[in-house]
Amino acid sequence: NAGVTQTPKFRILKIGQSMTLQCAQDMNHNYMYWYRQDPGMGLKLIYYSVGAGITDKGEVPNGYNVSRSTTEDFPLRLELAAPSQTSVYFCATQGLAGESEQFFGPGTRLTVL
Amino acid sequence: GENVEQHPSTLSVQEGDSAVIKCTYSDSASNYFPWYKQELGKGPQLIIDIRSNVGEKKDQRIAVTLNKTAKHFSLHITETQPEDSAVYFCAASSLGAGSYQLTFGKGTKLSVIP
């Protein structure tokens, strides 16, 4: 099992460009999360999903969009990229309701210039 | 919302010594407190967690203590080894609709000197 996979690993964007960060899991987990990690800071929750077709905002959702059409995939869309979105992005999954461990992917390092 | 403060930001210890990292939280409704280890270039990985109905939990060389009255919890690593060198994050959350919306501290970079 691959667990949680994220693509791409690295990306450089120009201001105003758009892109989609991909997250896929083969753990059959209902819950999925997107976090961003800025240098010297902890992770901040962007969006999360409790199952296919259901998404909700986290602490820092502005400038991002998500969709969850399948259990396996949870893409994060950046529209009109800004330098403030330069960060490392992590996707995570969680199993059944009440199970607490979140499993993180390897991350995508995004630079907006 | 929840706010989690973590100290120290960096910690250097000699191999074999103990390391202690402390966190405080603000929301008395929080009932779940995990600790994550992040190695360079990787995603965080859960190393231990504690729920609010427990005061202490231990797993081999790692232990976590929780003081709900004071709203603080701590990670204790004994007999440290070079492979313990990493960034450690504490987090706090309350369970909502089956999901945990974690609020993380800013992290502690632990260096174990051989």
Side-chain angles (χ1 to χ4, degrees):
Chain A
N1 289 348
V4 182
T5 58
Q6 292 184 240
T7 55
K9 286 185 168 49
F10 305 94
R11 183 74 185 268
I12 298 175
L13 280 183
K14 293 183 179 178
I15 295 172
Q17 287 185 321
S18 301
M19 77 163 293
T20 299
L21 283 67
Q22 301 291 346
C23 175
Q25 54 109 350
D26 62 1
M27 306 170 80
N28 201 30
H29 284 176
N30 284 332
Y31 302 91
M32 295 188 76
Y33 306 83
W34 272 107
Y35 293 91
R36 60 177 286 173
Q37 183 178 32
D38 299 327
M41 302 291 286
L43 288 81
K44 291 189 183 294
L45 182 64
I46 305 171
Y47 270 96
Y48 66 100
S49 170
V50 300
I54 305 169
T55 62
D56 209 345
K57 296 177 180 179
E59 182 182 357
V60 289
N62 291 347
Y64 307 94
N65 277 302
V66 294
S67 59
R68 184 94 183 273
S69 56
T70 66
T71 298
E72 294 77 20
D73 300 296
F74 190 39
L76 178 71
R77 178 82 177 163
L78 278 72
E79 305 281 1
L80 299 175
S84 60
Q85 294 178 304
T86 294
S87 191
V88 181
Y89 292 83
F90 289 99
C91 177
T93 72
Q94 175 198 327
L96 298 175
E99 288 187 1
S100 45
E101 181 171 2
Q102 292 188 15
F103 298 86
F104 285 80
T108 293
R109 182 175 295 274
L110 175 67
T111 302
V112 182
L113 299 175
Chain B
E2 176 64 275
N3 182 50
V4 176
E5 299 285 340
Q6 182 173 347
H7 299 281
S9 56
T10 61
L11 179 60
S12 291
V13 299
Q14 291 290 135
E15 182 177 357
D17 286 351
S18 295
V20 180
I21 303 170
K22 299 182 178 182
C23 288
T24 60
Y25 62 99
S26 61
D27 188 352
S28 56
S30 290
N31 57 9
Y32 174 64
F33 308 93
W35 286 89
Y36 283 82
K37 176 183 181 182
Q38 186 177 28
E39 297 177 341
L40 195 61
K42 296 185 178 181
Q45 184 172 13
L46 181 72
I47 55 171
I48 196 167
D49 57 13
I50 192 167
R51 295 178 188 267
S52 58
N53 57 349
V54 176
E56 184 174 358
K57 184 176 178 180
K58 191 172 181 180
D59 182 4
Q60 298 183 330
R61 297 186 296 108
I62 295 174
V64 57
T65 58
L66 171 65
N67 184 327
K68 281 220 76 178
T69 302
K71 296 200 192 80
H72 68 70
F73 56 112
S74 301
L75 177 71
H76 304 254
I77 305 174
T78 59
E79 300 171 17
T80 53
Q81 301 167 4
E83 51 266 38
D84 294 329
S85 295
V87 179
Y88 291 81
F89 292 96
C90 63
S93 176
S94 57
L95 178 61
S99 66
Y100 285 97
Q101 297 168 45
L102 299 175
T103 299
F104 285 83
K106 292 184 178 180
T108 296
K109 184 176 181 181
L110 174 64
S111 300
V112 179
I113 304 163

